[in-house]
Amino acid sequence: MSNRHLARSIALQTLFEWDFRGQPTAALPAILEHNLTEFGAGLNQEKYFTKELVNGVITNLAKIDPIIVKYAPEWPLNQITIVDRNILRIGILELQYQPTGVPPKVAINEAIELGKTYGGPASGKFINGVLGAMYKEMEKTN
């Protein structure tokens, strides 16, 4: 597993726990530090990347969640699994709000792989559908 993929996995674990607990913003730094200590041995620069992802999702949450609703109209946000919802948040952040130097197709692929690893049997396809539709619209407007 590449260090960037591991960093995304830790960001997902952090956001999952935060979301599962009812989104306690005050607890987020402790959750992140615990996950970095527990699962991030060997990460150096990528620890910063993990923190950027988590903080970026939290900072842009009010903009990201409506995008999920727009591209997954049959699924109310609270009915999307916590795992899939937070993978989509990370993917949308990387595509729309945080240029990380990662090509869009790589960001989408990384999100799909997280879905296949941590989500249910249909997670990869669902994530691909939402992020793919968003990316197609982004290409049209650019």
Side-chain angles (χ1 to χ4, degrees):
M1 177 184 304
S2 76
N3 285 347
R4 280 264 170 134
H5 186 76
L6 178 59
R8 285 184 184 92
S9 296
I10 294 169
L12 173 60
Q13 290 168 321
T14 301
L15 291 167
F16 177 92
E17 186 175 344
W18 164 80
D19 205 355
F20 183 79
R21 289 175 151 190
Q23 302 182 350
T25 307
L28 193 58
I31 296 169
L32 178 59
E33 285 307 315
H34 170 74
N35 286 337
L36 282 170
T37 301
E38 188 72 24
F39 306 110
L43 291 181
N44 295 316
Q45 291 285 71
E46 289 78 15
K47 284 185 180 183
Y48 179 73
F49 179 64
T50 303
K51 291 177 182 181
E52 255 186 353
L53 290 175
V54 171
N55 292 330
V57 166
I58 301 306
T59 301
N60 294 289
L61 192 63
K63 297 181 223 170
I64 292 171
D65 282 355
I67 293 171
I68 296 171
V69 171
K70 177 181 177 181
Y71 292 102
E74 294 86 30
W75 288 93
L77 192 62
N78 63 350
Q79 288 184 6
I80 298 172
T81 66
I82 296 173
V83 171
D84 290 353
R85 184 170 54 231
N86 285 293
I87 292 169
L88 287 170
R89 287 171 174 160
I90 292 169
I92 291 168
L93 175 75
E94 285 198 89
L95 287 171
Q96 186 82 25
Y97 297 105
Q98 188 175 28
T100 57
V102 175
K105 291 182 181 180
V106 172
I108 292 169
N109 188 56
E110 283 289 323
I112 293 167
E113 290 303 314
L114 287 173
K116 288 178 180 178
T117 302
Y118 297 105
S123 291
K125 290 180 182 179
F126 175 67
I127 290 163
N128 185 36
V130 173
L131 295 179
M134 179 189 160
Y135 178 65
K136 283 180 187 174
E137 191 168 307
M138 284 173 57
E139 281 188 316
K140 287 179 187 176
T141 59
N142 286 341

